[in-house]
Amino acid sequence: ELGLNNIFTYGPENLPVVSRFGQMKFSADGRRFISVNGGDGAEGSLDLFDFDNRTGKLTNFRRLSIPPFIYPGTVRREMWGAEFSPDATKLYYENNKQLVYQYDLADTLNPVTLLSQITSNNNSVYQFQLAPNGKIYFTTFGNRITTAGVIEQPNAKGVACNFQLRGQDLAGREIIDRLPSFVASYFYRANPTFAAQSTCLGEATSF
């Protein structure tokens, strides 16, 4: 929607889902889609869908239950960025750029883990991006920031994911708040399987 920074996606029953300012991401295996809705003090949400990459249809809509950010005089859910783990079982997101969470999509009892509670405005977390090395990098908004944040093992549950607020040195280069939006399926590494016959030395092997 020109001038309002609104993006509309249409899910079940052709109802529009409005994404205001936040990231929208597909999982690397193409099975899931997340829309980050909310910014500038809005009551935001994380809207999760299943995605059929053959038909392009979004189904099984669910709005994830997320803890609020307690701000003087108000309670906020103000999200900007999110990213799936490479195996699509974990979702990483921030709230009000100061709380960073992991949401375990396979855990129905205790899915949410708080990874970091940031108290300085110079460390505000903004956007996430899965990289070809299987790590998730994120921007930290502030003055003269010359490092990026890293989640070293994003498939691991809870704090075992190894969240590092200043994990990647940028060799003097500064980062502001946004990252390029790469299609995560470019980085998908399925475990290939194959069968082989005649594998002895000197034989012609057939696959």
Side-chain angles (χ1 to χ4, degrees), residues 1 5-9 16-20 35-38 45 47:
E1 188 172 4
N5 291 325
N6 290 338
I7 298 175
F8 292 85
T9 57
V17 178
V18 184
S19 179
R20 180 169 174 79
S35 176
V36 183
N37 304 305
S45 65
D47 294 338

Side-chain angles (χ1 to χ4, degrees), residues 7 21-26 80 82-83 127-130 178-187:
I7 298 175
F21 297 110
Q23 290 182 292
M24 295 190 295
K25 291 295 187 82
F26 291 94
W80 300 83
E83 182 62 283
Q127 289 192 343
F128 299 82
Q129 177 62 54
L130 178 65
R178 290 173 174 83
L179 289 169
S181 293
F182 292 105
V183 179
S185 58
Y186 291 165
F187 311 141

Side-chain angles (χ1 to χ4, degrees), residues 13-190:
E13 300 179 1
N14 207 34
L15 297 176
V17 178
V18 184
S19 179
R20 180 169 174 79
F21 297 110
Q23 290 182 292
M24 295 190 295
K25 291 295 187 82
F26 291 94
S27 60
D29 62 5
R31 294 185 299 112
R32 285 174 167 156
F33 172 80
I34 191 74
S35 176
V36 183
N37 304 305
D40 285 349
E43 177 64 15
S45 65
L46 292 174
D47 294 338
L48 181 68
F49 298 83
D50 292 339
F51 180 68
D52 188 330
N53 59 15
R54 297 168 299 174
T55 65
K57 290 184 178 180
L58 297 171
T59 58
N60 192 22
F61 164 75
R62 55 264 199 215
R63 179 157 289 174
L64 301 183
S65 177
I66 57 176
F69 175 79
I70 308 300
Y71 191 79
T74 187
V75 175
R76 289 185 177 180
R77 291 177 178 85
E78 182 178 315
M79 283 78 67
W80 300 83
E83 182 62 283
F84 290 100
S85 60
D87 65 1
T89 64
K90 313 294 188 302
L91 178 70
Y92 295 87
Y93 69 94
E94 52 72 38
N95 189 353
N96 204 58
K97 302 188 290 292
Q98 292 181 295
L99 302 176
V100 182
Y101 293 94
Q102 179 196 82
Y103 196 105
D104 188 339
L105 299 169
D107 189 337
T108 59
L109 296 178
N110 298 291
V112 179
T113 300
L114 176 63
L115 300 177
S116 180
Q117 184 167 352
I118 300 164
T119 57
S120 169
N121 287 334
N122 206 44
N123 290 322
S124 300
V125 174
Y126 197 76
Q127 289 192 343
F128 299 82
Q129 177 62 54
L130 178 65
N133 61 6
K135 300 179 182 182
I136 293 175
Y137 293 87
F138 56 90
T139 55
T140 48
F141 184 83
N143 296 321
R144 301 189 64 82
I145 301 297
T146 58
T147 57
V150 184
I151 301 171
E152 298 279 356
Q153 288 91 34
N155 289 337
K157 184 175 176 60
V159 295
C161 72
N162 194 7
F163 175 93
Q164 301 290 331
L165 184 63
R166 294 277 180 258
Q168 179 63 51
D169 183 77
L170 301 177
R173 297 177 177 86
E174 295 183 25
I175 193 168
I176 300 178
D177 54 10
R178 290 173 174 83
L179 289 169
S181 293
F182 292 105
V183 179
S185 58
Y186 291 165
F187 311 141
Y188 181 55
R189 295 186 177 92

